[in-house]
Amino acid sequence: MEIRLAFERYFLQSGSKRAALYDSLRDAVRSGQLKEGERLPSSRSLAELYGISRGTVTQVYDMLYAEGYIQGERGSGTYVSQRIPYPSARPERVEQPSELLSTWFNRLDELKADKEGPPPFAPESQQAGRTFGQQLFQSGQTDFRLFPVKEWKVALHAAVRECMQENLPDGYREIPGSGLFRLREAVAAMLYMERGIAASPEEIVMTSGSKQGLALLFQILAEPGRRIVLEYPCYGGIREAASVTGAELIQAAVDECGAIPGNWDAAIAALTPNRQFPTGTVLSAGRRKEWLAWAERRGAIIIEDDYDSEFRYSGRLGEPLKAMDRNGRVIYLGSFSRTMYSGLRIGYAVVPSWMAPRLAQAKAFYEPYASGQLEQMALARFIAEGSYAKHLRRMKRQYKRRLAALHRGLDELEGTPFRFRPSDAGLHQYAEWTGSSADYDRLLQSCRKGGVAWHDGSSYFAGEPGGNKDKHFALFGFAHLEEEEIAQGMQAVAEQWSGIAGNGEDSRQA
């Protein structure tokens, strides 16, 4: 039997092997690393493991036995005591001196209270054998049941075989932080065919998800004293990445044509033009030209976050700003975390040629070699062999039907309390509440108890200048649910709403 103790650390502190073994064993018992009733190694094996005499181990065992930490009889072995004398033996918590924390971290820490997401809850119901650890209509989820596991395993196994065919003296392939070249080639070909974006592999940097791409770009481009334009409302991850830089944030209002351009003196604008988050509005063609003209006039950079344009179920995708850009003013971000699965942290940034080496340099500071190398190799093969496109087509067929089922459920609610513009893309439906604030709160809390609530979108509008505090917005996720689950969930919402609408006097007052 082998156990891992902090023997070396204690030996460096005390210089005594006996004291080091005693302290490390005692603390392993106190902390729970060694469980009550767990058998300890023999004195011979422990002596061999740590290069000390058997007599020293016996002395330490005797000391621990006398203090009640261990028990046992000759010939039957030594065990951790069932009743530990000091059950609360974790190191004393020391208050962290605030002056040791950087300004950057303090800005990050201030964002904790503003993080998006519903408040904690304790779901009480089960439906169709499923325990709702999360609310049924939570937004941003996909259905892993549709994922082609077999095909992905084949791609992963091929990547492993490829690695093993080469001599790897240090255990790593030397794939640079900017990503596997074959994968960047595959992404470039895919973007040109699907989105009309002409970019060379050298202008693409692979990232560990779009959030890392945002953070790196803001680190490169933003600092205190500069200004960043953000959509209002906008994705919380963009706001967080921008806020921690210390730059001044400017809000660009969003209407039915998308984010409204202005003549701001700013260095950066972060936009979601192809499906605005969270409203789902598509930036009009005229507005796209205005934003590009603003960037050229101001010498600014536009970060275009195309977070879920792959999920369009009808009509034609709008032309990306990156495809329209002729002056190197747009950086395009994409990710595979939703089209594949959330644990696959692979995203990419398509940047102007002058930015490519700078972004690669910044990423290499954190990751000299690419992370997830096997996954990058497998994904390049998965795309090249057509499995990725096939997977997307299957998801879109299913999600289109599920979105229609959600629309039916919302339309059938008594009095249609949610007003929405039917979406034909994305993973959630954005809707505005038309009733009273009190009724909304009652319905939301009631649905949360039943595990069938949605994502409350009101937080995206926090701090609206002159805004109406009684406005409420909802994001209904649907992609991760089968049509029957959606119908059952909306029926549960309808039942909760019928009880509230029938009893409340202010039910239809905006």
Side-chain angles (χ1 to χ4, degrees):
M1 175 185 179
E2 181 176 322
I3 59 175
R4 176 60 59 186
L5 302 172
F7 176 83
E8 291 83 2
R9 174 162 61 87
Y10 282 109
F11 179 65
L12 289 174
Q13 293 175 358
S14 66
S16 166
K17 291 185 177 180
R18 185 178 69 175
L21 183 62
Y22 169 80
D23 289 337
S24 57
L25 274 170
R26 181 196 60 185
D27 288 355
V29 173
R30 285 183 166 187
S31 66
Q33 178 186 347
L34 294 175
K35 308 296 183 185
E36 295 181 10
E38 183 173 346
R39 184 169 182 169
L40 298 178
S42 67
S43 58
R44 183 187 302 275
S45 61
L46 201 58
E48 293 175 352
L49 181 61
Y50 290 105
I52 54 182
S53 70
R54 189 176 177 185
T56 298
V57 177
T58 301
Q59 289 179 3
V60 169
Y61 273 4
D62 287 343
M63 294 165 62
L64 293 170
Y65 179 83
E67 294 177 359
Y69 289 104
I70 63 176
Q71 61 188 19
E73 298 180 1
R74 188 178 300 276
S76 65
T78 304
Y79 301 83
V80 177
S81 294
Q82 295 293 335
R83 299 181 66 182
I84 306 300
Y86 303 102
S88 178
R90 293 190 177 277
E92 181 182 354
R93 296 185 65 180
V94 179
E95 185 176 349
Q96 180 72 46
S98 59
E99 62 271 14
L100 293 182
L101 301 177
S102 69
T103 302
W104 178 89
F105 180 81
N106 287 328
R107 287 195 292 260
L108 179 66
D109 197 46
E110 290 175 358
L111 295 171
K112 287 194 302 184
D114 298 327
K115 285 186 74 65
E116 62 195 64
F121 55 85
E124 301 170 355
S125 70
Q126 293 183 341
Q127 197 173 72
R130 173 178 176 177
T131 299
F132 296 120
Q134 297 175 323
Q135 294 296 334
L136 185 65
F137 294 108
Q138 180 181 352
S139 64
Q141 305 298 301
T142 55
D143 191 350
F144 189 73
R145 293 170 293 190
L146 299 177
F147 187 73
V149 175
K150 182 178 179 180
E151 290 86 347
W152 180 241
K153 283 183 177 179
V154 170
L156 281 172
H157 291 163
V160 172
R161 289 195 300 271
E162 181 182 347
C163 279
M164 295 302 101
Q165 288 171 358
E166 298 187 18
N167 183 26
L168 306 175
D170 60 354
Y172 294 92
R173 293 180 60 90
E174 291 191 358
I175 298 177
S178 55
L180 180 70
F181 190 78
R182 288 204 313 271
L183 179 55
R184 288 184 281 151
E185 284 184 315
V187 170
M190 179 182 68
L191 289 176
Y192 183 71
M193 180 177 297
E194 300 293 335
R195 305 295 281 123
I197 296 174
S200 69
E202 291 81 6
E203 295 172 322
I204 297 175
V205 175
M206 306 308 299
T207 63
S208 297
S210 59
K211 184 69 176 287
Q212 186 191 59
L214 282 167
L216 287 171
L217 289 168
F218 281 132
Q219 282 185 301
I220 295 171
L221 297 169
E223 61 185 358
R226 291 191 177 180
R227 294 178 175 179
I228 302 175
V229 180
L230 303 181
E231 297 169 324
Y232 186 80
C234 81
Y235 168 52
I238 293 178
R239 179 180 285 109
E240 289 177 359
S243 296
V244 296
T245 66
E248 179 184 349
L249 305 186
I250 300 173
Q251 295 179 345
V254 173
D255 62 14
E256 65 277 2
C257 294
I260 303 172
N263 192 31
W264 302 287
D265 181 12
I268 311 163
L271 305 175
T272 52
N274 304 307
R275 184 172 139 78
Q276 201 277 330
F277 189 92
T279 66
T281 300
V282 177
L283 189 66
S284 68
R287 291 267 177 90
R288 291 172 192 253
K289 294 178 182 178
E290 291 182 53
W291 276 106
L292 289 171
W294 167 81
E296 176 65 18
R297 187 168 62 251
R298 289 291 183 179
I301 290 292
I302 296 176
I303 298 176
E304 179 179 17
D305 185 4
D306 200 8
Y307 65 97
D308 70 354
S309 66
E310 297 89 349
F311 300 108
R312 177 159 289 279
Y313 313 120
S314 63
R316 179 178 175 275
L317 284 169
E319 188 175 14
L321 293 174
K322 183 63 180 175
M324 300 171 65
D325 179 27
R326 298 293 180 268
N327 300 296
R329 294 295 172 189
V330 178
I331 295 173
Y332 180 91
L333 293 180
S335 174
F336 293 97
S337 296
R338 289 186 175 180
T339 55
M340 293 289 286
Y341 55 93
S342 59
L344 186 71
R345 305 308 301 165
I346 298 180
Y348 54 88
V350 185
V351 299
S353 56
W354 63 267
M355 171 61 81
R358 292 168 171 83
L359 179 56
Q361 180 182 358
K363 187 168 186 291
F365 178 77
Y366 297 101
E367 297 178 359
Y369 297 105
S371 61
Q373 296 185 11
L374 283 176
E375 288 82 357
Q376 289 199 23
M377 296 168 68
L379 183 57
R381 177 183 294 269
F382 198 70
I383 295 173
E385 292 181 347
S387 298
Y388 180 72
K390 180 181 177 182
H391 171 51
L392 275 181
R393 288 194 297 271
R394 183 187 181 198
M395 282 196 297
K396 288 194 287 188
R397 286 195 301 269
Q398 294 287 340
Y399 293 172
K400 180 178 181 178
R401 290 195 288 267
R402 296 175 184 186
L403 178 57
L406 176 65
H407 288 164
R408 289 194 296 271
L410 289 171
D411 284 334
E412 291 170 0
L413 289 177
E414 180 182 345
T416 58
F418 287 104
R419 180 172 56 228
F420 65 97
R421 180 183 298 124
S423 175
D424 58 359
L427 302 175
H428 72 263
Q429 173 64 59
Y430 175 84
E432 180 181 353
W433 177 255
T434 61
S436 71
S437 181
D439 278 354
Y440 178 85
D441 291 339
R442 281 194 289 267
L443 179 60
L444 181 58
Q445 292 305 318
S446 180
C447 288
R448 279 179 178 162
K449 290 179 180 179
V452 294
W454 51 90
H455 181 96
D456 180 21
S458 306
S459 60
Y460 298 117
F461 292 85
E464 180 180 4
N468 185 348
K469 295 181 179 180
D470 289 334
K471 284 185 178 180
H472 295 281
F473 307 88
L475 278 66
F476 287 89
F478 61 87
H480 58 296
L481 303 171
E482 294 182 350
E483 292 176 67
E484 183 179 354
E485 292 178 288
I486 294 172
Q488 291 175 352
M490 290 307 301
Q491 178 60 35
V493 174
E495 291 173 359
Q496 298 291 343
W497 172 234
S498 293
I500 294 171
N503 296 327
E505 295 181 359
D506 58 349
S507 294
R508 304 306 303 154
Q509 296 175 7

